[in-house]
Amino acid sequence: MPQFMDVHDGFVGVTEDQLAAAHQADLDVEGAEGVHFEKAWLDPQSGKVFCLSTGPSKEAVMRVHEKAGHPTHEVYELAVEV
């Protein structure tokens, strides 16, 4: 299954607990799209969040984030790993 990394902006000052809640919102709706979110990372100073997932397509990842309330259009397929 393809792996994806996506990037969110606008999370300046977000706490670890708030990031966990946003990640849980993804987990709550991911099954309908055949996506699984593995991990999420936060840089609270820049407000960037990075999410690692597996799923059938970039569009499926985007739909899960939209349903969870934090949409992004910045999704990259991780096609090469070393």
Side-chain angles (χ1 to χ4, degrees):
M1 178 112 19
Q3 258 189 329
F4 300 92
M5 179 69 69
D6 61 71
V7 183
H8 300 263
D9 292 310
F11 284 77
V12 174
V14 167
T15 66
E16 185 176 342
D17 287 343
Q18 291 169 317
L19 177 64
H23 181 67
Q24 186 60 53
D26 290 323
L27 297 177
D28 290 345
V29 298
E30 69 183 12
E33 296 289 344
V35 172
H36 178 61
F37 284 89
E38 307 283 336
K39 291 188 176 192
W41 295 267
L42 167 67
D43 177 354
Q45 290 182 336
S46 71
K48 296 222 182 259
V49 170
F50 306 88
C51 302
L52 178 66
S53 62
T54 56
S57 68
K58 169 184 173 177
E59 292 77 19
V61 171
M62 292 168 65
R63 284 191 297 271
V64 171
H65 279 317
E66 179 79 30
K67 290 176 187 177
H70 39 265
T72 184
H73 297 288
E74 196 172 350
V75 181
Y76 305 95
E77 184 171 352
L78 305 174
V80 178
E81 182 177 342
V82 294

Short mmCIF file of all heavy atoms in Angstrom, two decimals, residues 2-74:
data_model
loop_
_atom_site.label_atom_id
_atom_site.label_comp_id
_atom_site.label_asym_id
_atom_site.label_seq_id
_atom_site.Cartn_x
_atom_site.Cartn_y
_atom_site.Cartn_z
N PRO A 2 0.57 2.24 -0.81
CA PRO A 2 1.39 3.45 -0.86
C PRO A 2 1.43 4.19 0.49
O PRO A 2 0.46 4.17 1.24
CB PRO A 2 0.69 4.31 -1.90
CG PRO A 2 -0.07 3.36 -2.74
CD PRO A 2 -0.48 2.25 -1.82
N GLN A 3 2.56 4.84 0.74
CA GLN A 3 2.73 5.67 1.92
C GLN A 3 2.70 7.13 1.52
O GLN A 3 3.15 7.48 0.42
CB GLN A 3 4.10 5.41 2.58
CG GLN A 3 4.03 4.54 3.77
CD GLN A 3 5.39 4.50 4.49
OE1 GLN A 3 6.45 4.61 3.89
NE2 GLN A 3 5.32 4.31 5.78
N PHE A 4 2.19 7.97 2.42
CA PHE A 4 2.06 9.39 2.15
C PHE A 4 2.53 10.22 3.34
O PHE A 4 2.38 9.79 4.49
CB PHE A 4 0.60 9.76 1.85
CG PHE A 4 0.05 9.05 0.66
CD1 PHE A 4 -0.62 7.84 0.80
CD2 PHE A 4 0.22 9.56 -0.61
CE1 PHE A 4 -1.11 7.16 -0.30
CE2 PHE A 4 -0.27 8.89 -1.72
CZ PHE A 4 -0.94 7.69 -1.57
N MET A 5 3.08 11.39 3.05
CA MET A 5 3.39 12.40 4.07
C MET A 5 2.63 13.65 3.67
O MET A 5 2.70 14.08 2.51
CB MET A 5 4.88 12.70 4.11
CG MET A 5 5.28 13.76 5.12
SD MET A 5 5.11 13.25 6.85
CE MET A 5 6.41 12.02 6.98
N ASP A 6 1.87 14.19 4.62
CA ASP A 6 1.18 15.44 4.32
C ASP A 6 1.58 16.50 5.32
O ASP A 6 2.13 16.20 6.38
CB ASP A 6 -0.34 15.24 4.26
CG ASP A 6 -0.94 14.76 5.55
OD1 ASP A 6 -1.00 15.54 6.51
OD2 ASP A 6 -1.37 13.59 5.61
N VAL A 7 1.34 17.73 4.94
CA VAL A 7 1.77 18.89 5.73
C VAL A 7 0.58 19.82 5.94
O VAL A 7 -0.17 20.11 5.00
CB VAL A 7 2.90 19.66 5.00
CG1 VAL A 7 3.39 20.82 5.85
CG2 VAL A 7 4.04 18.73 4.61
N HIS A 8 0.42 20.26 7.17
CA HIS A 8 -0.62 21.22 7.54
C HIS A 8 0.05 22.48 8.06
O HIS A 8 1.08 22.41 8.73
CB HIS A 8 -1.50 20.67 8.67
CG HIS A 8 -2.20 19.41 8.35
ND1 HIS A 8 -3.50 19.38 7.91
CD2 HIS A 8 -1.79 18.13 8.40
CE1 HIS A 8 -3.86 18.12 7.72
NE2 HIS A 8 -2.83 17.35 8.02
N ASP A 9 -0.55 23.63 7.81
CA ASP A 9 -0.11 24.90 8.36
C ASP A 9 -1.15 25.40 9.35
O ASP A 9 -2.29 24.92 9.38
CB ASP A 9 0.05 25.94 7.24
CG ASP A 9 1.19 25.62 6.31
OD1 ASP A 9 2.31 25.35 6.81
OD2 ASP A 9 0.98 25.62 5.09
N GLY A 10 -0.76 26.38 10.16
CA GLY A 10 -1.73 27.04 11.03
C GLY A 10 -1.88 26.42 12.40
O GLY A 10 -2.85 26.69 13.10
N PHE A 11 -0.93 25.60 12.84
CA PHE A 11 -1.01 24.96 14.14
C PHE A 11 -0.05 25.60 15.14
O PHE A 11 0.46 24.93 16.04
CB PHE A 11 -0.72 23.46 14.00
CG PHE A 11 -1.86 22.67 13.42
CD1 PHE A 11 -2.14 22.71 12.05
CD2 PHE A 11 -2.67 21.88 14.22
CE1 PHE A 11 -3.18 21.99 11.51
CE2 PHE A 11 -3.72 21.16 13.68
CZ PHE A 11 -3.98 21.21 12.33
N VAL A 12 0.20 26.90 15.02
CA VAL A 12 1.10 27.61 15.93
C VAL A 12 0.55 27.52 17.35
O VAL A 12 -0.63 27.77 17.59
CB VAL A 12 1.26 29.09 15.51
CG1 VAL A 12 2.07 29.87 16.55
CG2 VAL A 12 1.91 29.19 14.15
N GLY A 13 1.43 27.13 18.29
CA GLY A 13 1.04 27.08 19.69
C GLY A 13 0.21 25.88 20.09
O GLY A 13 -0.21 25.77 21.24
N VAL A 14 -0.03 24.96 19.18
CA VAL A 14 -0.81 23.77 19.49
C VAL A 14 -0.03 22.90 20.48
O VAL A 14 1.19 22.77 20.39
CB VAL A 14 -1.15 22.99 18.19
CG1 VAL A 14 -1.69 21.61 18.47
CG2 VAL A 14 -2.15 23.78 17.37
N THR A 15 -0.72 22.30 21.41
CA THR A 15 -0.09 21.44 22.42
C THR A 15 -0.06 19.99 21.95
O THR A 15 -0.74 19.62 20.97
CB THR A 15 -0.87 21.49 23.74
OG1 THR A 15 -2.16 20.90 23.53
CG2 THR A 15 -1.00 22.92 24.26
N GLU A 16 0.69 19.18 22.65
CA GLU A 16 0.74 17.75 22.35
C GLU A 16 -0.65 17.12 22.47
O GLU A 16 -1.04 16.30 21.65
CB GLU A 16 1.72 17.06 23.30
CG GLU A 16 1.92 15.59 22.98
CD GLU A 16 2.97 14.94 23.86
OE1 GLU A 16 3.78 15.64 24.48
OE2 GLU A 16 2.96 13.68 23.92
N ASP A 17 -1.41 17.52 23.49
CA ASP A 17 -2.76 16.99 23.66
C ASP A 17 -3.67 17.38 22.50
O ASP A 17 -4.49 16.58 22.04
CB ASP A 17 -3.37 17.47 24.98
CG ASP A 17 -2.75 16.79 26.20
OD1 ASP A 17 -2.09 15.73 26.03
OD2 ASP A 17 -2.91 17.33 27.31
N GLN A 18 -3.54 18.61 22.02
CA GLN A 18 -4.35 19.05 20.89
C GLN A 18 -3.96 18.31 19.61
O GLN A 18 -4.83 17.96 18.82
CB GLN A 18 -4.21 20.56 20.70
CG GLN A 18 -4.87 21.36 21.81
CD GLN A 18 -4.50 22.83 21.76
OE1 GLN A 18 -3.33 23.19 21.54
NE2 GLN A 18 -5.49 23.69 21.97
N LEU A 19 -2.67 18.06 19.44
CA LEU A 19 -2.23 17.26 18.29
C LEU A 19 -2.78 15.85 18.39
O LEU A 19 -3.27 15.29 17.39
CB LEU A 19 -0.70 17.23 18.20
CG LEU A 19 -0.13 16.36 17.08
CD1 LEU A 19 -0.53 16.90 15.71
CD2 LEU A 19 1.39 16.25 17.21
N ALA A 20 -2.75 15.26 19.57
CA ALA A 20 -3.29 13.92 19.77
C ALA A 20 -4.78 13.88 19.43
O ALA A 20 -5.27 12.92 18.82
CB ALA A 20 -3.04 13.44 21.20
N ALA A 21 -5.52 14.91 19.80
CA ALA A 21 -6.95 14.98 19.49
C ALA A 21 -7.18 15.08 17.99
O ALA A 21 -8.09 14.43 17.45
CB ALA A 21 -7.60 16.15 20.22
N ALA A 22 -6.38 15.87 17.30
CA ALA A 22 -6.51 15.99 15.84
C ALA A 22 -6.18 14.67 15.17
O ALA A 22 -6.86 14.24 14.23
CB ALA A 22 -5.60 17.10 15.32
N HIS A 23 -5.14 13.99 15.66
CA HIS A 23 -4.77 12.68 15.12
C HIS A 23 -5.89 11.68 15.36
O HIS A 23 -6.24 10.90 14.46
CB HIS A 23 -3.46 12.21 15.76
CG HIS A 23 -2.96 10.90 15.27
ND1 HIS A 23 -2.52 10.71 13.98
CD2 HIS A 23 -2.84 9.70 15.90
CE1 HIS A 23 -2.14 9.45 13.84
NE2 HIS A 23 -2.32 8.82 14.98
N GLN A 24 -6.50 11.71 16.53
CA GLN A 24 -7.60 10.80 16.83
C GLN A 24 -8.79 11.07 15.91
O GLN A 24 -9.48 10.12 15.49
CB GLN A 24 -8.02 10.93 18.30
CG GLN A 24 -9.07 9.91 18.71
CD GLN A 24 -8.58 8.47 18.54
OE1 GLN A 24 -7.53 8.11 19.05
NE2 GLN A 24 -9.35 7.65 17.85
N ALA A 25 -9.03 12.32 15.57
CA ALA A 25 -10.11 12.65 14.64
C ALA A 25 -9.88 11.98 13.29
O ALA A 25 -10.82 11.48 12.66
CB ALA A 25 -10.24 14.16 14.47
N ASP A 26 -8.62 11.92 12.84
CA ASP A 26 -8.29 11.19 11.61
C ASP A 26 -8.56 9.70 11.78
O ASP A 26 -9.17 9.07 10.92
CB ASP A 26 -6.81 11.39 11.23
CG ASP A 26 -6.50 12.79 10.75
OD1 ASP A 26 -7.35 13.38 10.07
OD2 ASP A 26 -5.40 13.27 11.05
N LEU A 27 -8.11 9.13 12.90
CA LEU A 27 -8.29 7.70 13.15
C LEU A 27 -9.77 7.33 13.19
O LEU A 27 -10.15 6.23 12.75
CB LEU A 27 -7.61 7.30 14.45
CG LEU A 27 -6.09 7.47 14.52
CD1 LEU A 27 -5.58 7.10 15.92
CD2 LEU A 27 -5.38 6.67 13.45
N ASP A 28 -10.59 8.24 13.69
CA ASP A 28 -12.02 7.96 13.81
C ASP A 28 -12.72 7.81 12.46
O ASP A 28 -13.76 7.16 12.39
CB ASP A 28 -12.71 9.06 14.63
CG ASP A 28 -12.33 9.03 16.10
OD1 ASP A 28 -11.76 8.03 16.58
OD2 ASP A 28 -12.59 10.06 16.78
N VAL A 29 -12.18 8.42 11.41
CA VAL A 29 -12.86 8.39 10.10
C VAL A 29 -12.05 7.74 8.99
O VAL A 29 -12.54 7.61 7.87
CB VAL A 29 -13.30 9.81 9.66
CG1 VAL A 29 -14.30 10.39 10.64
CG2 VAL A 29 -12.12 10.73 9.50
N GLU A 30 -10.83 7.30 9.29
CA GLU A 30 -9.93 6.80 8.24
C GLU A 30 -10.43 5.53 7.55
O GLU A 30 -10.19 5.32 6.37
CB GLU A 30 -8.53 6.56 8.81
CG GLU A 30 -8.47 5.41 9.79
CD GLU A 30 -7.10 5.20 10.42
OE1 GLU A 30 -6.21 6.07 10.30
OE2 GLU A 30 -6.93 4.15 11.07
N GLY A 31 -11.13 4.66 8.26
CA GLY A 31 -11.54 3.37 7.73
C GLY A 31 -12.42 3.46 6.50
O GLY A 31 -12.31 2.63 5.59
N ALA A 32 -13.27 4.45 6.43
CA ALA A 32 -14.18 4.60 5.29
C ALA A 32 -13.43 4.83 3.99
O ALA A 32 -13.95 4.53 2.91
CB ALA A 32 -15.15 5.75 5.55
N GLU A 33 -12.21 5.34 4.08
CA GLU A 33 -11.41 5.63 2.88
C GLU A 33 -10.29 4.63 2.67
O GLU A 33 -9.51 4.75 1.73
CB GLU A 33 -10.82 7.04 2.98
CG GLU A 33 -11.84 8.15 2.98
CD GLU A 33 -12.53 8.34 1.65
OE1 GLU A 33 -12.05 7.84 0.61
OE2 GLU A 33 -13.58 9.02 1.63
N GLY A 34 -10.16 3.63 3.57
CA GLY A 34 -9.09 2.65 3.43
C GLY A 34 -7.72 3.23 3.73
O GLY A 34 -6.70 2.75 3.23
N VAL A 35 -7.67 4.27 4.58
CA VAL A 35 -6.44 4.96 4.94
C VAL A 35 -6.11 4.61 6.38
O VAL A 35 -7.01 4.36 7.20
CB VAL A 35 -6.62 6.49 4.80
CG1 VAL A 35 -5.43 7.25 5.34
CG2 VAL A 35 -6.87 6.86 3.34
N HIS A 36 -4.81 4.59 6.71
CA HIS A 36 -4.40 4.48 8.12
C HIS A 36 -3.32 5.49 8.40
O HIS A 36 -2.30 5.52 7.72
CB HIS A 36 -3.90 3.08 8.46
CG HIS A 36 -3.43 2.99 9.88
ND1 HIS A 36 -4.26 3.21 10.94
CD2 HIS A 36 -2.21 2.77 10.39
CE1 HIS A 36 -3.57 3.10 12.07
NE2 HIS A 36 -2.31 2.84 11.76
N PHE A 37 -3.57 6.33 9.40
CA PHE A 37 -2.59 7.32 9.82
C PHE A 37 -1.69 6.70 10.87
O PHE A 37 -2.15 6.26 11.92
CB PHE A 37 -3.29 8.59 10.35
CG PHE A 37 -3.83 9.42 9.24
CD1 PHE A 37 -5.11 9.21 8.75
CD2 PHE A 37 -3.03 10.37 8.63
CE1 PHE A 37 -5.60 9.94 7.70
CE2 PHE A 37 -3.51 11.11 7.56
CZ PHE A 37 -4.80 10.90 7.09
N GLU A 38 -0.39 6.66 10.55
CA GLU A 38 0.60 6.02 11.41
C GLU A 38 1.03 6.94 12.55
O GLU A 38 1.02 6.53 13.71
CB GLU A 38 1.84 5.65 10.58
CG GLU A 38 1.55 4.82 9.35
CD GLU A 38 1.27 3.37 9.66
OE1 GLU A 38 1.71 2.89 10.72
OE2 GLU A 38 0.60 2.73 8.83
N LYS A 39 1.48 8.14 12.20
CA LYS A 39 2.03 9.08 13.18
C LYS A 39 1.78 10.51 12.72
O LYS A 39 1.54 10.76 11.54
CB LYS A 39 3.54 8.90 13.33
CG LYS A 39 3.95 7.62 13.98
CD LYS A 39 5.44 7.64 14.25
CE LYS A 39 5.81 6.37 15.00
NZ LYS A 39 7.15 6.43 15.52
N ALA A 40 1.93 11.42 13.67
CA ALA A 40 1.88 12.85 13.36
C ALA A 40 2.96 13.55 14.16
O ALA A 40 3.24 13.17 15.30
CB ALA A 40 0.51 13.43 13.70
N TRP A 41 3.58 14.55 13.55
CA TRP A 41 4.63 15.35 14.20
C TRP A 41 4.23 16.81 14.13
O TRP A 41 3.61 17.25 13.18
CB TRP A 41 5.96 15.18 13.47
CG TRP A 41 6.54 13.80 13.53
CD1 TRP A 41 7.42 13.31 14.44
CD2 TRP A 41 6.30 12.74 12.61
NE1 TRP A 41 7.74 12.01 14.14
CE2 TRP A 41 7.07 11.63 13.02
CE3 TRP A 41 5.50 12.60 11.46
CZ2 TRP A 41 7.06 10.41 12.34
CZ3 TRP A 41 5.49 11.39 10.79
CH2 TRP A 41 6.27 10.33 11.23
N LEU A 42 4.64 17.56 15.14
CA LEU A 42 4.28 18.97 15.25
C LEU A 42 5.51 19.82 15.51
O LEU A 42 6.34 19.48 16.35
CB LEU A 42 3.30 19.16 16.42
CG LEU A 42 3.02 20.58 16.90
CD1 LEU A 42 2.28 21.39 15.85
CD2 LEU A 42 2.24 20.55 18.20
N ASP A 43 5.60 20.94 14.79
CA ASP A 43 6.53 22.02 15.11
C ASP A 43 5.67 23.19 15.55
O ASP A 43 5.13 23.92 14.71
CB ASP A 43 7.39 22.39 13.90
CG ASP A 43 8.32 23.55 14.18
OD1 ASP A 43 8.23 24.16 15.28
OD2 ASP A 43 9.14 23.88 13.30
N PRO A 44 5.46 23.36 16.87
CA PRO A 44 4.53 24.38 17.34
C PRO A 44 4.97 25.81 17.03
O PRO A 44 4.14 26.70 16.96
CB PRO A 44 4.44 24.14 18.85
CG PRO A 44 5.64 23.35 19.20
CD PRO A 44 6.06 22.60 17.97
N GLN A 45 6.27 26.03 16.83
CA GLN A 45 6.73 27.38 16.53
C GLN A 45 6.37 27.80 15.10
O GLN A 45 5.95 28.92 14.87
CB GLN A 45 8.24 27.50 16.75
CG GLN A 45 8.59 27.44 18.22
CD GLN A 45 10.07 27.61 18.46
OE1 GLN A 45 10.90 27.33 17.59
NE2 GLN A 45 10.42 28.06 19.65
N SER A 46 6.55 26.88 14.14
CA SER A 46 6.21 27.21 12.75
C SER A 46 4.74 26.95 12.46
O SER A 46 4.20 27.42 11.48
CB SER A 46 7.06 26.40 11.77
OG SER A 46 6.68 25.03 11.79
N GLY A 47 4.09 26.14 13.33
CA GLY A 47 2.69 25.79 13.11
C GLY A 47 2.49 24.70 12.09
O GLY A 47 1.39 24.50 11.58
N LYS A 48 3.55 23.95 11.77
CA LYS A 48 3.46 22.88 10.78
C LYS A 48 3.23 21.54 11.47
O LYS A 48 3.85 21.23 12.49
CB LYS A 48 4.73 22.80 9.96
CG LYS A 48 4.96 24.04 9.12
CD LYS A 48 5.43 23.69 7.76
CE LYS A 48 5.70 24.94 6.95
NZ LYS A 48 4.65 25.24 6.03
N VAL A 49 2.34 20.76 10.89
CA VAL A 49 2.09 19.38 11.31
C VAL A 49 2.37 18.49 10.11
O VAL A 49 1.99 18.81 8.98
CB VAL A 49 0.64 19.19 11.80
CG1 VAL A 49 0.32 17.72 12.01
CG2 VAL A 49 0.41 19.97 13.09
N PHE A 50 3.02 17.35 10.38
CA PHE A 50 3.37 16.37 9.36
C PHE A 50 2.72 15.06 9.75
O PHE A 50 2.87 14.61 10.88
CB PHE A 50 4.89 16.20 9.28
CG PHE A 50 5.62 17.49 9.07
CD1 PHE A 50 6.00 18.27 10.16
CD2 PHE A 50 5.90 17.94 7.79
CE1 PHE A 50 6.67 19.47 9.97
CE2 PHE A 50 6.56 19.14 7.59
CZ PHE A 50 6.95 19.91 8.68
N CYS A 51 2.00 14.44 8.81
CA CYS A 51 1.31 13.19 9.07
C CYS A 51 1.79 12.11 8.11
O CYS A 51 1.85 12.33 6.90
CB CYS A 51 -0.20 13.34 8.87
SG CYS A 51 -0.96 14.60 9.92
N LEU A 52 2.09 10.93 8.66
CA LEU A 52 2.48 9.77 7.87
C LEU A 52 1.30 8.82 7.81
O LEU A 52 0.71 8.48 8.84
CB LEU A 52 3.68 9.08 8.52
CG LEU A 52 4.18 7.81 7.84
CD1 LEU A 52 4.75 8.13 6.45
CD2 LEU A 52 5.21 7.12 8.71
N SER A 53 0.96 8.40 6.60
CA SER A 53 -0.18 7.49 6.44
C SER A 53 0.06 6.49 5.33
O SER A 53 0.97 6.65 4.51
CB SER A 53 -1.45 8.29 6.12
OG SER A 53 -1.31 8.99 4.90
N THR A 54 -0.76 5.46 5.31
CA THR A 54 -0.83 4.54 4.18
C THR A 54 -2.26 4.58 3.67
O THR A 54 -3.20 4.82 4.43
CB THR A 54 -0.47 3.09 4.58
OG1 THR A 54 -1.33 2.68 5.65
CG2 THR A 54 0.97 2.97 5.00
N GLY A 55 -2.40 4.35 2.38
CA GLY A 55 -3.74 4.38 1.82
C GLY A 55 -3.73 4.17 0.32
O GLY A 55 -2.66 4.07 -0.29
N PRO A 56 -4.91 4.11 -0.27
CA PRO A 56 -4.99 3.82 -1.69
C PRO A 56 -4.59 4.98 -2.60
O PRO A 56 -4.18 4.75 -3.74
CB PRO A 56 -6.46 3.46 -1.89
CG PRO A 56 -7.18 4.15 -0.78
CD PRO A 56 -6.21 4.17 0.37
N SER A 57 -4.70 6.23 -2.09
CA SER A 57 -4.40 7.37 -2.96
C SER A 57 -4.24 8.65 -2.13
O SER A 57 -4.70 8.74 -0.99
CB SER A 57 -5.53 7.60 -3.97
OG SER A 57 -6.71 8.03 -3.30
N LYS A 58 -3.61 9.62 -2.75
CA LYS A 58 -3.47 10.96 -2.18
C LYS A 58 -4.85 11.55 -1.89
O LYS A 58 -5.07 12.17 -0.85
CB LYS A 58 -2.69 11.82 -3.17
CG LYS A 58 -2.65 13.28 -2.87
CD LYS A 58 -1.93 14.03 -3.99
CE LYS A 58 -2.01 15.51 -3.80
NZ LYS A 58 -1.26 16.25 -4.82
N GLU A 59 -5.76 11.34 -2.81
CA GLU A 59 -7.11 11.90 -2.67
C GLU A 59 -7.84 11.31 -1.46
O GLU A 59 -8.58 12.02 -0.76
CB GLU A 59 -7.91 11.68 -3.95
CG GLU A 59 -7.41 12.48 -5.14
CD GLU A 59 -6.14 11.91 -5.80
OE1 GLU A 59 -5.81 10.72 -5.58
OE2 GLU A 59 -5.47 12.67 -6.51
N ALA A 60 -7.63 10.01 -1.20
CA ALA A 60 -8.24 9.38 -0.03
C ALA A 60 -7.71 10.00 1.27
O ALA A 60 -8.47 10.27 2.20
CB ALA A 60 -8.00 7.88 -0.04
N VAL A 61 -6.40 10.25 1.33
CA VAL A 61 -5.80 10.90 2.49
C VAL A 61 -6.42 12.29 2.67
O VAL A 61 -6.79 12.68 3.79
CB VAL A 61 -4.27 10.99 2.32
CG1 VAL A 61 -3.65 11.86 3.41
CG2 VAL A 61 -3.64 9.60 2.31
N MET A 62 -6.55 13.02 1.60
CA MET A 62 -7.13 14.36 1.66
C MET A 62 -8.57 14.32 2.15
O MET A 62 -8.99 15.18 2.95
CB MET A 62 -7.03 15.03 0.30
CG MET A 62 -5.58 15.35 -0.09
SD MET A 62 -5.36 15.81 -1.81
CE MET A 62 -6.27 17.34 -1.89
N ARG A 63 -9.34 13.34 1.70
CA ARG A 63 -10.74 13.24 2.14
C ARG A 63 -10.84 12.96 3.63
O ARG A 63 -11.71 13.51 4.31
CB ARG A 63 -11.47 12.17 1.33
CG ARG A 63 -11.83 12.59 -0.07
CD ARG A 63 -12.77 11.62 -0.75
NE ARG A 63 -12.21 10.29 -0.94
CZ ARG A 63 -11.51 9.90 -2.02
NH1 ARG A 63 -11.28 10.76 -3.00
NH2 ARG A 63 -11.06 8.67 -2.10
N VAL A 64 -9.96 12.11 4.17
CA VAL A 64 -9.99 11.84 5.61
C VAL A 64 -9.71 13.12 6.39
O VAL A 64 -10.43 13.44 7.34
CB VAL A 64 -8.98 10.74 5.99
CG1 VAL A 64 -8.86 10.62 7.51
CG2 VAL A 64 -9.39 9.40 5.39
N HIS A 65 -8.67 13.85 6.01
CA HIS A 65 -8.36 15.09 6.71
C HIS A 65 -9.52 16.09 6.61
O HIS A 65 -9.81 16.79 7.58
CB HIS A 65 -7.08 15.72 6.16
CG HIS A 65 -5.83 15.12 6.71
ND1 HIS A 65 -5.65 14.82 8.04
CD2 HIS A 65 -4.66 14.78 6.10
CE1 HIS A 65 -4.44 14.34 8.23
NE2 HIS A 65 -3.82 14.30 7.06
N GLU A 66 -10.16 16.15 5.47
CA GLU A 66 -11.32 17.04 5.29
C GLU A 66 -12.43 16.65 6.27
O GLU A 66 -12.99 17.50 6.98
CB GLU A 66 -11.82 16.96 3.85
CG GLU A 66 -13.03 17.81 3.57
CD GLU A 66 -12.69 19.28 3.36
OE1 GLU A 66 -11.59 19.58 2.88
OE2 GLU A 66 -13.55 20.11 3.70
N LYS A 67 -12.74 15.36 6.33
CA LYS A 67 -13.80 14.87 7.23
C LYS A 67 -13.44 15.11 8.70
O LYS A 67 -14.32 15.34 9.53
CB LYS A 67 -14.05 13.39 7.01
CG LYS A 67 -14.70 13.06 5.69
CD LYS A 67 -14.82 11.55 5.51
CE LYS A 67 -15.30 11.19 4.12
NZ LYS A 67 -15.34 9.73 3.91
N ALA A 68 -12.14 15.03 9.03
CA ALA A 68 -11.69 15.19 10.41
C ALA A 68 -11.61 16.66 10.82
O ALA A 68 -11.39 16.97 11.99
CB ALA A 68 -10.34 14.52 10.59
N GLY A 69 -11.76 17.57 9.86
CA GLY A 69 -11.81 18.99 10.18
C GLY A 69 -10.51 19.75 10.03
O GLY A 69 -10.42 20.90 10.46
N HIS A 70 -9.49 19.14 9.43
CA HIS A 70 -8.24 19.86 9.19
C HIS A 70 -7.70 19.50 7.80
O HIS A 70 -6.75 18.73 7.67
CB HIS A 70 -7.21 19.59 10.30
CG HIS A 70 -7.19 18.19 10.78
ND1 HIS A 70 -7.89 17.77 11.88
CD2 HIS A 70 -6.57 17.09 10.30
CE1 HIS A 70 -7.69 16.48 12.06
NE2 HIS A 70 -6.91 16.04 11.12
N PRO A 71 -8.33 20.08 6.78
CA PRO A 71 -7.96 19.76 5.40
C PRO A 71 -6.56 20.24 5.04
O PRO A 71 -6.04 21.18 5.63
CB PRO A 71 -9.00 20.49 4.57
CG PRO A 71 -9.48 21.59 5.44
CD PRO A 71 -9.39 21.08 6.85
N THR A 72 -5.97 19.55 4.08
CA THR A 72 -4.70 19.97 3.49
C THR A 72 -4.68 19.55 2.03
O THR A 72 -5.31 18.56 1.67
CB THR A 72 -3.48 19.38 4.22
OG1 THR A 72 -2.29 19.92 3.64
CG2 THR A 72 -3.43 17.87 4.14
N HIS A 73 -3.97 20.32 1.23
CA HIS A 73 -3.78 19.95 -0.17
C HIS A 73 -2.33 19.57 -0.43
O HIS A 73 -1.97 19.26 -1.55
CB HIS A 73 -4.21 21.11 -1.09
CG HIS A 73 -5.66 21.41 -0.96
ND1 HIS A 73 -6.63 20.58 -1.47
CD2 HIS A 73 -6.32 22.42 -0.36
CE1 HIS A 73 -7.82 21.07 -1.19
NE2 HIS A 73 -7.66 22.18 -0.51
N GLU A 74 -1.52 19.60 0.64
CA GLU A 74 -0.09 19.29 0.52
C GLU A 74 0.14 17.85 0.97
O GLU A 74 0.41 17.58 2.15
CB GLU A 74 0.72 20.28 1.34
CG GLU A 74 2.17 20.29 0.98
CD GLU A 74 2.95 21.41 1.66
OE1 GLU A 74 2.33 22.31 2.28
OE2 GLU A 74 4.18 21.36 1.57
#
